[in-house]
Amino acid sequence: DCIDRGLPSDERRIAGEDGDGVGSDRLVDRDARSSVMMVPMEEGNALVPIQRCLEKTLHDLGIRVIHAQPSFHPEIGFMRTLCSERPDFLLLINHSPCDYAPLEELNQFRLPRMIWIVDDPHCFIQDSFTMQDFVFTWDPSYADALRGLGARAVDPYPHAADV
């Protein structure tokens, strides 16, 4: 179990951060550097250049980008990375959180999830959002549909936005 257990708000427990992969724990100052976890897109996906630009901008802002590690089953790699790295927030592009893990498990982490919808959400969003999801859309005309799926915050963020 990798969920924080009563640590002060300015510290967090990270399993296996020293690289040995066996789950050794140490305390890390939360303010040392913010981190975001992303799922890398497969080569050939039209959104790869956008994701790379976004990652570079986050890096330039001093935010550490963590990629979900591949596994024989995507859910296992996603949750293993989430448990070992303990990012400050998740950033998903064109996916709902349920694509990677059950919401009951993700909600235990109590971390914000930023979801950038750059296509028609009717084509791929199949589960409702929760109060931890902040949704951005390339087309403001989809805002009402996304709110109808439970997103509490929906803001426009177009493809060509200078991240």
Side-chain angles (χ1 to χ4, degrees):
D1 183 26
C2 60
I3 308 297
D4 288 346
R5 299 194 184 280
L7 293 174
S9 61
D10 62 336
E11 294 177 332
R12 62 185 168 157
R13 185 166 303 281
I14 299 181
E17 187 178 68
D18 60 5
D20 65 5
V22 296
S24 60
D25 291 347
R26 66 189 186 117
L27 293 177
V28 176
D29 179 7
R30 178 174 283 283
D31 295 326
R33 187 169 182 198
S34 295
S35 62
V36 57
M37 185 171 128
M38 298 178 76
V39 177
M41 295 190 177
E42 294 180 18
E43 286 302 318
N45 186 315
L47 299 176
V48 169
I50 293 171
Q51 182 175 7
R52 286 186 182 143
C53 179
L54 183 58
E55 289 177 4
K56 180 188 179 311
T57 301
L58 290 167
H59 181 267
D60 291 349
L61 291 170
I63 299 171
R64 185 170 64 107
V65 176
I66 302 162
H67 286 140
Q69 297 302 310
S71 180
F72 62 92
H73 190 278
E75 180 179 317
I76 293 172
F78 182 87
M79 291 303 290
R80 184 178 293 146
T81 304
L82 188 60
C83 288
S84 66
E85 296 290 338
R86 301 298 295 180
D88 295 303
F89 65 97
L90 296 177
L91 177 58
L92 304 175
I93 300 174
N94 264 11
H95 284 277
S96 72
C98 301
D99 292 344
Y100 302 107
L103 274 181
E104 304 79 44
E105 292 178 23
L106 285 175
N107 288 343
Q108 291 180 33
F109 288 90
R110 294 189 179 116
L111 76 146
R113 298 181 293 251
M114 310 304 190
I115 302 159
W116 188 22
I117 308 296
V118 296
D119 286 307
D120 181 347
H122 300 101
C123 295
F124 59 90
I125 300 294
Q126 300 184 19
D127 293 292
S128 296
F129 296 109
T130 71
M131 294 301 286
Q132 292 169 266
D133 298 322
F134 298 87
V135 180
F136 300 90
T137 179
W138 69 281
D139 185 342
S141 69
Y142 291 124
D144 287 338
L146 291 164
R147 283 187 198 96
L149 291 169
R152 72 174 174 163
V154 179
D155 293 297
Y157 192 73
H159 281 279
D162 183 7
V163 294

